[in-house]
C-alpha cells in the first residue's frame, strides 16, 4: 500500500497517526520502538483536506484483518477520532495522545500556559511571531516561524530525551490547507458531534505539563457521554514519546493497547 510503512511482525493491530497536520514521518521512531514488540502500521497522510485525509486513511487501513487500535498525537488524535466515528467496525480502541482541546473555550489556555513558561522578553517575541503568522502583520514570515518553533520547543517539553526523528518530512502546504479546516470543525461543534458517535473505548494519554489542557479533552468527551480512561503523566509535555519521565510509560501502554 502506498504511503504505509510496516514495522514488526503480524498481526498488525496498531496504527500510529502522525500529528501536524503535515508532520509526516514524525512517528517513525515510535513505530520502530513498538515494532520490537508488536506489528505496527504507520500511515503517511499526504492529502490536503480533512475528507480526503479520511478517505486516504481508509484506503491505507483497508487491509487490516480485524479491528485496529488507532493512536495519534495532537492532530493525529483528531484524525483518529473522526475515523473511529465514521468507521466504527474498523476500530477497537482509540488512543488520544496529547490531544488539542475539543472545544474553543479551552483554546486561550494554550497561549496562556506557554507564555507563563517563558521569560518576559521571550514571551513578547512569541506573541509577536504568532501575530505575524496568524494575521500577516508586518514582519519576516520565515523568522517568525523559526521563532515560534524555537520557543515552542521550550514550552512544550518538560524534560526532552533523545528521539529518532530522522524520517520527519514537514509538509507546510498540508498544514496550511488542513489546520484551518480542522479548527472550523472544532468551532462549529462538528468535532464533538463526531465524538458522540465513537463506540469503541477511548483512552487519553496526556502530559500534566502539556500547554494543551487535558480538561479541554476530558470534559467535552464526558459531556458527550463517553466513558474515558485517562492517564495524565507528571513531568511530561506535549510529546510523551520524547520525554524522559514519560517515555517508558508511553511505550509500555501502547505495547498492550
Amino acid at each position: 500500500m502506498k504511503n504505509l510503512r510496516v514495522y514488526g511482525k503480524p498481526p498488525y493491530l496498531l496504527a500510529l497517526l502522525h500529528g501536524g497536520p503535515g508532520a509526516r514521518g514524525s512517528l517513525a521512531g515510535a513505530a520502530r520502538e513498538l515494532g520490537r514488540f508488536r506489528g505496527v502500521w504507520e500511515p503517511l497522510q499526504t492529502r490536503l483536506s480533512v475528507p480526503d485525509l479520511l478517505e486516504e486513511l481508509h484506503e491505507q487501513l483497508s487491509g487490516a484483518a480485524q479491528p485496529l487500535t488507532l493512536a495519534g498525537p495532537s492532530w493525529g488524535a483528531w484524525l483518529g477520532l473522526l475515523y473511529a466515528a465514521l468507521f466504527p467496525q474498523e476500530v477497537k480502541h482509540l488512543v488520544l495522545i496529547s490531544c488539542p482541546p475539543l472545544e474553543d473555550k479551552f483554546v486561550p489556555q494554550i497561549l496562556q500556559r506557554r507564555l507563563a513558561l517563558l521569560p518576559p522578553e521571550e514571551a513578547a517575541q512569541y506573541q509577536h511571531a504568532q501575530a505575524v503568522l496568524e494575521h500577516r502583520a508586518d514582519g519576516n514570515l520565515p523568522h517568525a516561524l523559526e521563532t515560534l518553533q524555537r520557543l515552542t520547543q521550550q514550552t512544550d517539553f518538560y524534560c526532552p530525551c533523545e528521539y529518532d526523528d530522522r524520517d520527519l518530512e514537514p509538509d507546510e502546504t498540508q498544514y496550511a490547507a488542513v489546520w484551518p479546516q480542522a479548527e472550523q470543525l472544532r468551532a462549529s461543534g462538528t468535532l464533538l458531534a463526531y465524538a458522540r458517535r465513537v463506540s469503541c473505548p477511548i483512552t487519553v494519554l496526556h502530559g500534566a505539563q502539556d500547554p494543551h489542557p487535558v480538561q479541554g479533552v476530558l470534559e467535552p468527551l464526558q459531556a458527550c457521554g463517553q466513558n474515558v480512561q485517562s492517564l495524565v503523566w507528571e513531568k511530561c509535555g506535549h510529546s510523551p514519546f520524547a520525554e524522559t519521565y514519560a517515555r517508558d510509560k508511553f511505550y509500555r501502554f501502547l505495547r498492550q493497547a
Side-chain angles (χ1 to χ4, degrees):
M1 172 63 66
K2 187 177 181 181
N3 296 319
L4 179 68
R5 294 174 179 160
V6 178
Y7 304 81
K9 299 177 181 179
Y12 300 103
L13 300 180
L14 171 65
L16 299 181
L17 311 181
H18 69 71
R24 194 158 48 244
S26 58
L27 291 181
R32 271 190 286 272
E33 174 62 25
L34 288 164
R36 297 168 52 211
F37 303 96
R38 64 179 301 179
V40 180
W41 280 348
E42 182 199 10
L44 304 178
Q45 278 76 63
T46 64
R47 300 183 186 174
L48 300 179
S49 74
V50 173
D52 286 347
L53 287 170
L54 288 164
E55 180 183 29
E56 179 179 44
L57 184 60
H58 188 51
E59 293 169 357
Q60 291 166 324
L61 301 183
S62 61
Q66 52 187 295
L68 299 167
T69 294
L70 288 188
S74 200
W75 153 251
W78 282 13
L79 184 64
L81 184 152
L82 295 169
Y83 189 87
L86 288 171
F87 303 102
Q89 71 281 2
E90 298 183 14
V91 184
K92 69 174 183 179
H93 187 185
L94 176 63
V95 183
L96 307 179
I97 305 164
S98 307
C99 186
L102 300 175
E103 287 187 284
D104 271 355
K105 68 180 182 180
F106 295 96
V107 172
Q109 292 185 38
I110 302 172
L111 179 59
Q112 293 166 8
R113 289 159 70 101
R114 281 177 171 152
L115 295 180
L117 293 168
L118 294 170
E121 181 177 347
E122 290 186 329
Q125 293 173 7
Y126 189 101
Q127 288 179 292
H128 176 70
Q130 188 174 56
V132 170
L133 289 171
E134 291 187 357
H135 308 297
R136 295 300 187 262
D138 292 339
N140 184 305
L141 288 176
H143 178 69
L145 181 60
E146 186 278 329
T147 298
L148 275 189
Q149 291 174 335
R150 172 174 55 83
L151 295 178
T152 299
Q153 284 291 109
Q154 295 176 218
T155 61
D156 286 24
F157 285 91
Y158 180 83
C159 183
C161 63
E162 184 176 345
Y163 177 71
D164 180 5
D165 64 354
R166 66 179 182 270
D167 291 316
L168 173 61
E169 300 176 357
D171 186 339
E172 295 177 4
T173 299
Q174 188 180 67
Y175 178 86
V178 174
W179 184 242
Q181 299 174 39
E183 286 187 306
Q184 181 56 35
L185 289 177
R186 175 169 60 192
S188 66
T190 303
L191 193 59
L192 283 183
Y194 276 89
R196 293 186 187 95
R197 296 168 55 184
V198 175
S199 57
C200 67
I202 301 175
T203 301
V204 170
L205 305 182
H206 215 88
Q209 282 70 44
D210 190 336
H212 302 76
V214 69
Q215 294 83 0
V217 184
L218 296 179
E219 291 182 16
L221 286 176
Q222 290 162 355
C224 287
Q226 294 289 357
N227 185 14
V228 183
Q229 175 191 8
S230 63
L231 296 174
V232 181
W233 294 314
E234 295 294 333
K235 298 182 179 180
C236 177
H238 191 56
S239 301
F241 45 86
E243 286 277 3
T244 299
Y245 298 104
R247 181 183 186 277
D248 290 346
K249 300 172 187 175
F250 172 82
Y251 286 121
R252 191 179 306 124
F253 178 85
L254 284 182
R255 284 202 298 266
Q256 305 297 326

